[in-house]
Amino acid sequence: MKAFFPLELDGLVLDVVSTPLEQKQLWAFRHRIFREQLAWVPVCEDGYDRDSYDDFSDNLALYRDGQVVGAIRLTGGQNPFMLEEEFSGLLASGESIGKGREYSEITRLAIDRHALSGRESVMAARMLYLGAWLWSQIHGVRWMYFVVEPVFYRRLVMFGFPIVPVGVPRPLDGGVMSMAGLLDWRQARPELIRSLCPGVTVSDACQELWHEYDYSH
């Protein structure tokens, strides 16, 4: 997968987390966002936000000047999902979720809005979405599950992402009203994908994949 990354745009760099140092930087960033600022989960003594899902998931980190300012975790459908365990209360009674090669889950999506200006924050979000799309193309993934606050779900709809709700909005353990959704990349308009990447510098392998996608659509 390293052949397709990094992606670069105006000082922001999106790359695969692969070394022990990069992992620690990522875990420290997630701890600051999810445990200190949002208080969605308890603070850890070591200052790291990590769990068993990191053992089999791919993490992408967004850097500016070598510091992590954004992140996203992507889990393949052959592995357990948080939606099956920690977030299962968001599913409607009797509702099941899809598993297997074409399914995946997005978790730990975050942007440091204190570190990024308004324009940078928008660029950061688009780069993370583009990273998720690129990851899905590399791995042959069509569907992606995710859990967000209802207001953020509405923003994704307005942006044009082909998503449907899964279950109903409910408060999670931290008291934050949340809902699960399912994104279908096959239903995404080519214009949506192109809107995520104006000006982004990509590798030759990524450029090739992009041309293949463009040709097929």
Side-chain angles (χ1 to χ4, degrees):
M1 193 166 69
K2 286 291 286 184
F4 296 91
F5 290 90
L7 311 179
E8 300 182 32
L9 176 65
D10 293 348
L12 295 174
V13 179
L14 183 68
D15 206 354
V16 180
V17 173
S18 56
T19 70
L21 176 58
E22 290 170 347
Q23 289 177 329
K24 289 182 178 179
Q25 289 178 312
L26 171 73
W27 294 336
F29 166 76
R30 291 194 332 206
H31 190 279
R32 188 170 73 252
I33 299 297
F34 293 107
R35 296 177 184 265
E36 297 174 19
Q37 294 181 11
L38 297 175
W40 287 357
V41 279
V43 170
C44 291
E45 288 186 9
D46 63 4
Y48 292 146
D49 175 77
R50 56 185 169 185
D51 55 38
S52 61
Y53 297 95
D54 287 313
D55 295 338
F56 45 74
S57 301
D58 289 324
N59 280 290
L60 305 180
L62 186 67
Y63 300 92
R64 188 186 64 178
D65 299 327
Q67 300 298 311
V68 180
V69 293
I72 186 171
R73 182 167 67 187
L74 301 153
T75 305
Q78 71 276 19
N79 299 302
F81 289 164
M82 292 189 79
L83 188 54
E84 297 174 280
E85 303 294 337
E86 287 81 357
F87 302 149
S88 62
L90 297 176
L91 297 173
S93 178
E95 184 163 5
S96 61
I97 63 174
K99 297 288 293 187
R101 187 182 63 82
E102 287 193 299
Y103 288 88
S104 65
E105 182 183 49
I106 297 173
T107 54
R108 291 302 194 260
L109 172 63
I111 294 171
D112 189 346
R113 299 188 184 279
H114 295 297
L116 300 173
S117 66
R119 177 176 174 272
E120 286 179 317
S121 182
V122 172
M123 288 194 305
R126 291 191 178 198
M127 287 188 74
L128 290 173
Y129 300 153
L130 180 60
W133 174 82
L134 179 56
W135 183 91
S136 74
Q137 297 300 297
I138 295 169
H139 293 278
V141 167
R142 174 179 176 179
W143 290 283
M144 286 184 160
Y145 287 101
F146 60 92
V147 172
V148 293
E149 295 178 68
V151 63
F152 190 67
Y153 182 95
R154 291 193 291 272
R155 288 175 189 168
L156 291 173
V157 172
M158 290 175 62
F159 199 82
F161 284 95
I163 57 179
V164 293
V166 180
V168 294
R170 287 176 181 152
L172 293 176
D173 291 342
V176 180
M177 187 63 70
S178 305
M179 63 182 295
L182 180 62
L183 165 63
D184 182 354
W185 284 121
R186 192 174 295 176
Q187 299 302 317
R189 292 178 292 105
E191 294 78 14
L192 169 67
I193 308 303
R194 293 190 190 102
S195 74
L196 300 177
C197 61
V200 175
T201 301
V202 300
S203 69
D204 290 342
C206 186
Q207 193 71 45
E208 238 179 85
L209 187 150
W210 181 259
H211 284 322
E212 288 176 11
Y213 173 82
D214 236 10
Y215 181 77
S216 65
H217 289 75

